Amino acid sequence: MAEIKFWQGNEAVAFGALAAGCKFYAGYPITPSTEVMETMAVELPKIGGVFQQMEDELGACGCAIGASIAGVKSMTASSGPGFTLKQENLGLAYEAEIPLVVVDVMRGGPSTGLPTQGAQQDVMQARWGTHGDHGTIALAPASVEECYTLTVEAFNLAERFRQPVLIMSDAEIGHMREKFVVPDPENLKVVDRKKPSVDPEHFVPYQADPEDDVPPMAGFGDGYRWHVTGLTHNDWGFPTTDPGDIDKKMRRLMRKIDRFRDDIVKFDTVEAGDAEILVVSYGSVSRSSVRAVHDARAQGVKVGHFRPITLWPFADKELERLARRVKTIIVPELNCGQMALEVERAVHGKARVVPLNRVDGELFQPTEIFNKIVEEAK
């Protein structure tokens, strides 16, 4: 039965993970993500799950990977500096194809930066933080409700595609409280990883199914032999220097995401149908942007809003279609313009792209975005 809750965003992430079937959490306390860990520490033992506080962020990510290899859904969470430290083990999870959800409640950087103030400075790190080629899936909630629902979605995607999925929240979304109706668990779509359909003697660990490019995954202890390595490997999981095996592996890591890109990408629009000006923003900034759009509409300005919910893969095709009809795209961000460059790439010069940036630790007020809309409308 559905319940009404007044949760903090970080709490909603934790309860969303539990609803998705998460049974293991490893973490290290870091502002402004710590409430995710605190909630999991209290709630996981109640359902027979395991909570583990590790000595550092590297260990936390490694521990979560190990739990996933053992067959359980696992998660870890952090903020800027800790997300950076997790990148090496994230690379291992991409290469070894280990399902995992990693939450980054973004704060100002670089280095220790602004521990208690929000930013959106990690969005490119989400895409390119670890070395090597791989497909990236990153989701950006803009409300407490989405902290819950997108965490469930993140687990579903991680299990379906056998790889890490990132939740790119921020300090404002993580710490705000909102009332929302928690979906009835019976109505939630929950995806579990694909298991082997053959007996152990005929199991080839990385032999992908042609229909989705994703190999079935056996858990350690299930009786299936499986070699795990961060080295580029063949279908048996053993390191290889054979050019054919290397090419096959690397192209499949990209293809398993690229071919289902349209299934993954999520976005939202407001008043975009007849817009001549489009505001593109995500996360906490989108809340101020939508208010500014409504205020500008009340003044007769034809302006709309486009919100990428899936930061990676980026909603480039969807944004490009809108760009054919608008003159100007304003991109407010709590960074120096990271996603504005992605917007420029997506629209292919069909509209003028105007970055609007704050990096002082403060939030965008709707009036700032409203004033920019009015300025561009003249």
Side-chain angles (χ1 to χ4, degrees), residues 136-215:
T136 301
I137 302 176
L139 311 175
S143 66
V144 173
E145 180 176 2
E146 283 191 344
C147 284
Y148 183 92
T149 58
L150 290 183
T151 300
V152 175
E153 178 69 7
F155 273 95
N156 289 346
L157 292 168
E159 295 286 306
R160 176 182 173 184
F161 293 107
R162 272 195 68 172
Q163 72 164 50
V165 173
L166 313 175
I167 299 172
M168 306 304 292
S169 181
D170 58 53
E172 282 66 43
I173 298 298
H175 281 165
M176 71 166 59
R177 288 188 180 272
E178 291 180 319
K179 182 178 76 172
F180 80 101
V181 178
V182 181
D184 189 325
E186 293 184 1
N187 296 328
L188 282 177
K189 178 185 176 183
V190 175
V191 175
D192 296 318
R193 66 193 62 173
K194 181 170 50 179
K195 296 288 190 177
S197 59
V198 299
D199 59 54
E201 290 184 6
H202 297 96
F203 179 58
V204 181
Y206 285 96
Q207 189 172 73
D209 291 333
E211 64 267 20
D212 62 4
D213 280 311
V214 179

Side-chain angles (χ1 to χ4, degrees), residues 299-315:
Q299 300 293 323
V301 181
K302 289 186 176 182
V303 58
H305 184 256
F306 182 93
R307 176 170 69 99
I309 299 172
T310 311
L311 298 184
W312 307 110
F314 190 66

Side-chain angles (χ1 to χ4, degrees), residues 184-328:
D184 189 325
E186 293 184 1
N187 296 328
L188 282 177
K189 178 185 176 183
V190 175
V191 175
D192 296 318
R193 66 193 62 173
K194 181 170 50 179
K195 296 288 190 177
S197 59
V198 299
D199 59 54
E201 290 184 6
H202 297 96
F203 179 58
V204 181
Y206 285 96
Q207 189 172 73
D209 291 333
E211 64 267 20
D212 62 4
D213 280 311
V214 179
M217 184 175 177
F220 272 31
D222 288 348
Y224 289 82
R225 183 179 178 182
W226 179 32
H227 185 260
V228 180
T229 179
L231 291 163
T232 302
H233 48 266
N234 58 24
D235 283 354
W236 289 96
F238 292 104
T240 182
T241 57
D242 179 87
D245 285 340
I246 296 168
D247 186 80
K248 176 183 174 183
K249 169 71 177 184
M250 295 307 300
R251 292 190 186 278
R252 185 174 63 75
L253 286 182
M254 299 294 288
R255 190 173 62 243
K256 70 179 181 179
I257 302 303
D258 290 343
R259 66 184 286 197
F260 296 103
R261 178 258 183 215
D262 291 348
D263 291 349
I264 299 168
V265 168
K266 295 180 181 295
F267 65 96
D268 182 47
T269 59
V270 174
E271 302 277 12
D274 64 344
E276 296 177 357
I277 297 172
L278 191 65
V279 179
V280 177
S281 61
Y282 51 93
S284 60
V285 177
S286 68
R287 301 169 71 98
S288 295
S289 296
V290 169
R291 171 61 186 270
V293 165
H294 286 315
D295 289 348
R297 277 276 174 176
Q299 300 293 323
V301 181
K302 289 186 176 182
V303 58
H305 184 256
F306 182 93
R307 176 170 69 99
I309 299 172
T310 311
L311 298 184
W312 307 110
F314 190 66
D316 47 6
K317 294 190 298 185
E318 295 79 6
L319 184 56
E320 192 268 344
R321 283 195 289 269
L322 284 175
R324 298 171 192 170
R325 305 198 303 266
V326 305
K327 300 174 182 177
T328 303

Side-chain angles (χ1 to χ4, degrees), residues 310-364:
T310 311
L311 298 184
W312 307 110
F314 190 66
D316 47 6
K317 294 190 298 185
E318 295 79 6
L319 184 56
E320 192 268 344
R321 283 195 289 269
L322 284 175
R324 298 171 192 170
R325 305 198 303 266
V326 305
K327 300 174 182 177
T328 303
I329 298 176
I330 302 169
V331 188
E333 299 182 84
L334 297 176
N335 59 47
C336 288
Q338 293 185 24
M339 291 301 276
L341 295 174
E342 192 67 13
V343 172
E344 286 184 349
R345 181 194 68 79
V347 304
H348 302 293
K350 292 181 174 64
R352 177 168 161 264
V353 177
V354 180
L356 182 63
N357 312 113
R358 288 200 75 153
V359 287
D360 59 358
E362 297 296 317
L363 294 174
F364 272 107

